[in-house]
Structure formats: C-alpha cells, structure tokens
Amino acid sequence: MTSANPLIEMAGFIALLLWGTHMVQTGVQRAYGANLRAILGAALQTRLRAFVAGVGVTALLQSSTATGLMIAGFAAAGFVELAPALAVMLGANVGTTLIIQILSFDVGVLAPVLILIGVIMFRRDSSSQAHDLGRVFIGLGLMLLALRNLLDLMTGYEDTPNLRMLLGAVSTSPFLDIVLAAGLTWAVHSSVAVVLLIMSLAAKGAVPPYAAFALVLGANLGTAINPLIEGPPTDDPVAKRVPLGNLLTRIAGVALAFAALSPISRLVVTVIPDNARAVAAFHTFFNVAVAVLFFPFLTSYARLLERWLPARVDPKDPSLPRYLDPAARETPIVALGAASREVLRLADVLTDMLQGVKNCLVTNDRRLMVETRRQDDVIDRLNTAIKTYLTSIDRDELNESDQRRLNEIIVFAMNIEQAGDVIDRSLLPHIAKRSKRGLVLAKEDEAELVRLTQRLCANVGLAASLFMTDDQRTAHRLADEKVVFRNVEARATMAHVDKMRTGSLDMVQATALHIDLLRDMKLLNGYIVAAAAYPVLERSGALLPSRIARLDRKSKSE
C-alpha cells in the first residue's frame, strides 16, 4: 500500500458523491421539468414554507451542498424568487443537523437498496417519469455510498500518531481550526462527513471541546463554498446570488459565534457533558441561530444582493424582445405594429426548433435534442414579453379594429407557444424514446416523418405570411393542411393494426412510436393553423361551426 492510495480513494469517493448529486438533480429535472415552475411555486410561495422545504430536501438528499447546487440552478433559471431561495438555504443548513443524528444509526446500509430500486425502475418501467425517478434513487444511493465510504476512510486515520500531533498543534489556535475544517469540508464536499469525524475525535479526546466547536464552525463555512464554485456554468451574476448570499450569512454567523466561542463552549459543555453529543448540539445550535437571525431580513437581503449582482443584459440573447418600444405604447397603432414584428420572431424560433427536430430524426443526437428543447424557453420568454407589452396598452385608446388586431397578435403568440410546448414536452421525448428502447423505424416511416417536419416548417412560414396579409386563399390553403395530417395518421394507424396481426414485437413497438410522432405533428400543425388561419376564416364567415354541434341540431330537427 502506498501513501497515495488514501488520496486516490478520497478523490474517487468525492467524484462518486458529485456524480450521485448530478444524477439526483437531472433526474428531478427530467421527471418534473415540465411542471417544475408550478411545483416550486406552490412549495416556495412563502419564506417559511421555503425554509421547511430546505430542511426536508436536505434530509432527503443527505447533503446541503446538493441542495445548494440545485436551488442555485433553479433560481438562476428563474423558477424561484431570491428571498425564498435564500430561505431554502437556511433550511438546508438546519437540515444537515438532522442528518448528523440520522447517520449516527448508519443509514448508509440503505445505499444498496436505493440503487437496486433505482436500477429496477430505470431498466424495467416503461413510464418515462418512473424511468427518471429511478435515476433519482440511483443517485441517492450513490451519494449515501460515497458519504459512508468517506467517513470510513477518514475514521480509519483518526488514531494515527501524525494526525494526533497535528490536531494537538491546531487545537491551540481556534482560527486555524476554522480554516482547516473549512478546507477539508470544501475538499470532501460534505459537512456531514466532517462533523461526524469531529464528533468521533471529540469522543476519543483527540481534540478538546473548544477546538471541536471551532472545527464545526469551519465545516459550516466550508460547505457554503462548493455551491459558489460549482454552481451553474454561466458568467451571469444572477446565478451567483443564492450561493454568495448563503456564503455571506455563513461568514457572518461564524464571525459572531467565534467572538463568543469561549462562553458558548463553557455553556454547552456544562449542559451536555458528553463531548460527541456536545459537538452535535453545537452544530444544531449554530445553524438554528443563524436561521433565526437572518430569516426576518431575507427580503431586504435579497434586494441588496440584486443590487450587488444585477442581471447581465446580453444583446445577443434571442429571448430578449427587439421591437417592443415602451414609448410606442402611447400610440396604439405603432405599438401594435411593433408587437406584430416581435411576434414574427416566435415563428422564426419555432421554425428553428422544427429544423432541429428534423435533424434529430435523422441523427438521434441527444445533445441536439437538448439544444432544441432549450429554444422553447426562448419562445416562452418572448411570448410573456409580448403579452405583457400588449396588456399595458391603454384599452380606451383602441378602436374596434385595433382591439381586433391586438387579440389576433395574442392568439398567434399563444398558439405558437403551445406548438413549441408540443415539441419540448412530447415530440422530442418520443424521439429520445427510440434510442432508449433501441427501436428502429422503417426507412419509409422515417422518411415520411422528415417530409412532414419540412411541411410543418413551410406551414409556419405560411402562417407568418397570413398573419401579415389576411389573405383568404392562404387561410384556406393552411386550413386544408389539417386534412393532410389527419389522412397520414389514419393510414399509419391501419398499418399499425396490420403489424399487430403479423409483425414481430419490435416492429409493433416501432410502428406505435411512429403513430405517436405523427399525432404530435398533427397536434403541432393544429396550433399553427389556429394561430393564423382561423381568425381570417372566422371574419370572412368561412369558418364552419363544429360538426358535432351541426349533427346535434340536425338530429333534433328530425
């Protein structure tokens, strides 16, 4: 055995912890990505509920570092406001104190069970959400496994003479204890493992309680460094608000506790004679005290961080509106013209998404799928900006024609946004399912999907032209496209039924996937038609009433 082996083992366990954290984060985002905004909005509406959520999530993930990385990503993406996000971090720091008590019962034995459950869900369940939740269970198991092995690795060296000599030297300097523990916690990415090690050292008398409490302060400081360094990969200052805010509260709390460390140490040791229990109690007391101290001022603190770290405006950001001039709102006709120009950019982004879909059908490139799905965020932000701009126009200044045009712009924007959602939430996941299940589409089916994608691109261009011209012939031509997609779906359904009678299981599954993709494209085309053709046909009286309603009236007359 060489001296480098422990370092290699520690690096491997840290890598395993990071990978487990990554799996949990991506699994949660994939399982609930479409509804993440609503879920977090319901859970984090108030600072108190956010605090409780932070405690619970950290107890579940076994790592305040993991919670910090996740909430920093959510806040940077705009899913949660800054004040609730900071409340989550206060709760996460308190949640680590619960973990200390739980891990004393060696819950690391659950790691194999969690991994087994996760693998079964990941490989066997056909539900995409269950598949992603299996990823979460695997990640949790890997995190527990890494934490347990890190603790075992460090505990194995706690009685070595060199370590005891080092601890004896640093025990005389509380400030050095804080720096040492902070560096160790940053290196191993787990304050839980470090605090448990400190408890073990204190229980064996390797460090006195005063030094142990200083080491605990350092562990609490070190755990706040990782989310700041390893946060979302962006230079946007917004992404740094949550981790920096959490680090500053940690620094302030450590400074206050360090100033009063002597009387606090005497009080804790007097009340709790057992050194290990005293370390756990001090860890809990410190985090609860910091939460109580900063909780009432989170809103003001959040505003201060927003001033320190203002959002960076990137002129090349495609999600930023280009034509929505605030000054033009005083002149409705000019404002409506600006909104019309802006809404055409939605059609351009949707066309880019469809081109990405076509390429994904041919190449099955997962990275391209991710990039294409991100463009839906551009559509969502532009759609919100356009609707906000239009609703800010004084309605009293609009005549009947202006009001109709305003409604047409909103209808166009909302339908294009819905079309983007179909690609993001249904069409691309179905394409990804092909590679996950190893399905091979027939060449003629794949070619048909590519042709229909090209047809959808042409229909988006037709809808954009119709939005500006109001030409009835173009409206009829676009509306007739629904018949084309409906007929293609009907033929594919009949072919699927024939394959069920005579084909193999893989062939049946491939044709079923083909129908799912056709239905997504049919739905997408319906939103494109509704965006531009229906308003024109309705004004001209050419839009037929519901066939169901017409048949119902006919049956009543008979």
Side-chain angles (χ1 to χ4, degrees):
M1 299 293 288
T2 64
S3 59
N5 281 344
L7 296 178
I8 294 174
E9 289 184 71
M10 179 177 292
F13 294 142
I14 292 172
L16 186 63
L17 177 64
L18 291 175
W19 183 249
T21 301
H22 172 74
M23 290 191 70
V24 172
Q25 183 177 4
T26 56
V28 171
Q29 289 178 337
R30 290 179 183 180
Y32 302 107
N35 301 314
L36 194 56
R37 189 186 302 272
I39 293 173
L40 289 176
L44 307 178
Q45 289 178 349
T46 66
R47 289 176 296 164
L48 181 59
R49 293 177 64 179
F51 177 82
V52 175
V55 175
V57 168
T58 304
L60 176 65
L61 297 182
Q62 303 290 305
S63 172
S64 61
T65 298
T67 305
L69 290 172
M70 292 178 66
I71 199 64
F74 294 156
F79 291 147
V80 295
E81 297 294 332
L82 183 55
L86 293 171
V88 170
M89 292 310 303
L90 291 178
N93 295 322
V94 174
T96 59
T97 67
L98 302 179
I99 298 171
I100 296 298
Q101 304 297 330
I102 296 173
L103 289 183
S104 63
F105 297 100
D106 192 20
V107 296
V109 297
L110 296 177
V113 177
L114 291 173
I115 294 175
L116 177 62
I117 295 173
V119 170
I120 292 174
M121 295 177 66
F122 190 86
R123 293 181 62 86
R124 298 293 183 184
D125 202 299
S126 59
S127 168
S128 59
Q129 187 176 69
H131 182 86
D132 294 329
L133 289 177
R135 184 183 181 90
V136 173
F137 277 103
I138 294 173
L140 286 173
L142 293 179
M143 290 172 62
L144 286 178
L145 188 64
L147 286 171
R148 184 180 184 182
N149 282 279
L150 275 173
L151 183 61
D152 291 342
L153 180 65
M154 290 186 291
T155 303
Y157 290 89
E158 64 186 7
D159 289 324
T160 58
N162 290 338
L163 180 60
R164 283 186 171 272
M165 185 181 300
L166 175 64
L167 292 174
V170 301
S171 295
T172 58
S173 175
F175 180 78
L176 186 58
D177 291 336
I178 293 176
V179 174
L180 177 64
L184 181 60
T185 305
W186 168 79
V188 301
H189 288 70
S190 175
S191 63
V192 173
V194 174
V195 172
L196 287 173
L197 177 61
I198 295 170
M199 288 175 60
S200 179
L201 295 172
K204 296 183 178 182
V207 294
Y210 183 81
F213 296 157
L215 290 168
V216 169
L217 292 179
N220 279 277
L221 182 61
T223 194
I225 299 175
N226 296 113
L228 183 63
I229 297 176
E230 300 172 5
T234 175
D235 58 355
D236 189 352
V238 173
K240 302 297 182 183
R241 288 174 180 170
V242 173
L244 179 61
N246 180 57
L247 178 60
L248 293 178
T249 60
R250 297 286 94 190
I251 292 174
V254 167
L256 292 174
F258 180 72
L261 190 58
S262 294
I264 293 176
S265 299
R266 289 193 295 270
L267 176 62
V268 174
V269 172
T270 301
V271 176
I272 308 174
D274 182 87
N275 287 345
R277 293 292 94 199
V279 170
F282 178 80
H283 181 53
T284 301
F285 168 77
F286 171 77
N287 284 283
V288 172
V290 170
V292 171
L293 178 64
F294 283 94
F295 193 83
F297 307 104
L298 285 182
T299 302
S300 301
Y301 185 40
R303 286 198 292 265
L304 180 62
L305 288 171
E306 289 170 352
R307 285 198 296 270
W308 284 350
L309 299 171
R312 179 173 298 170
V313 178
D314 184 2
K316 297 181 181 179
D317 186 353
S319 66
L320 294 178
R322 298 176 184 173
Y323 307 111
L324 303 182
D325 183 6
R329 289 178 296 186
E330 301 298 326
T331 309
I333 188 63
V334 178
L336 292 176
S340 297
R341 294 181 67 191
E342 197 69 56
V343 85
L344 291 178
R345 293 185 59 212
L346 293 176
D348 294 338
V349 179
L350 183 63
T351 300
D352 291 340
M353 291 184 72
L354 288 169
Q355 291 292 346
V357 169
K358 185 183 72 172
N359 293 332
C360 289
L361 284 168
V362 177
T363 64
N364 207 27
D365 187 341
R366 289 182 60 86
R367 181 172 297 180
L368 180 59
M369 292 182 196
V370 173
E371 293 174 356
T372 303
R373 296 184 71 174
R374 284 177 181 167
Q375 290 179 293
D376 184 56
D377 295 333
V378 176
I379 291 181
D380 290 341
R381 295 190 183 106
L382 283 176
N383 178 48
T384 300
I386 292 169
K387 290 190 294 185
T388 302
Y389 182 79
L390 290 174
T391 53
S392 67
I393 299 176
D394 187 359
R395 293 297 182 95
D396 294 335
E397 298 294 327
L398 300 176
N399 57 33
E400 183 178 350
S401 177
D402 294 338
Q403 182 64 56
R404 187 187 70 236
R405 186 57 175 169
L406 185 147
N407 292 335
E408 289 175 351
I409 296 172
I410 292 178
V411 167
F412 188 91
M414 292 179 64
N415 278 283
I416 295 297
E417 189 267 339
Q418 289 293 327
D421 287 343
V422 172
I423 297 176
D424 177 39
R425 302 178 184 180
S426 188
L427 187 55
L428 286 174
H430 277 138
I431 295 175
K433 188 188 299 183
R434 178 178 60 175
S435 61
K436 290 180 180 179
R437 297 184 179 180
L439 300 177
V440 179
L441 294 177
K443 291 184 178 180
E444 59 271 18
D445 290 343
E446 184 174 294
E448 181 180 53
L449 291 171
V450 171
R451 287 196 302 270
L452 289 176
T453 306
Q454 293 173 332
R455 196 173 192 114
L456 286 170
C457 290
N459 289 348
V460 174
L462 204 62
S465 174
L466 178 58
F467 174 74
M468 299 303 296
T469 62
D470 284 354
D471 181 67
Q472 290 190 32
R473 291 174 300 174
T474 304
H476 281 287
R477 178 183 169 188
L478 183 58
D480 288 341
E481 288 293 307
K482 296 191 69 174
V483 179
V484 174
F485 281 82
R486 187 162 59 244
N487 291 339
V488 170
E489 182 197 11
R491 288 196 302 269
T493 302
M494 294 299 297
H496 174 62
V497 173
D498 291 338
K499 296 295 183 185
M500 291 181 66
R501 294 170 179 162
T502 60
S504 63
L505 178 60
D506 289 342
M507 191 177 296
V508 170
Q509 291 180 339
T511 55
L513 177 62
H514 178 226
I515 292 176
D516 288 337
L517 292 170
L518 288 177
R519 286 173 178 167
D520 291 337
M521 291 184 178
K522 174 187 169 185
L523 178 61
L524 202 159
N525 183 72
Y527 284 121
I528 296 172
V529 173
Y534 284 176
V536 175
L537 295 176
E538 185 176 16
R539 282 201 308 274
S540 63
L543 188 64
L544 296 176
S546 169
R547 287 191 297 269
I548 297 177
R550 191 152 46 102
L551 290 174
D552 183 59
R553 289 194 299 270
K554 182 178 179 181
S555 62
K556 288 182 178 179
S557 64
E558 293 175 351

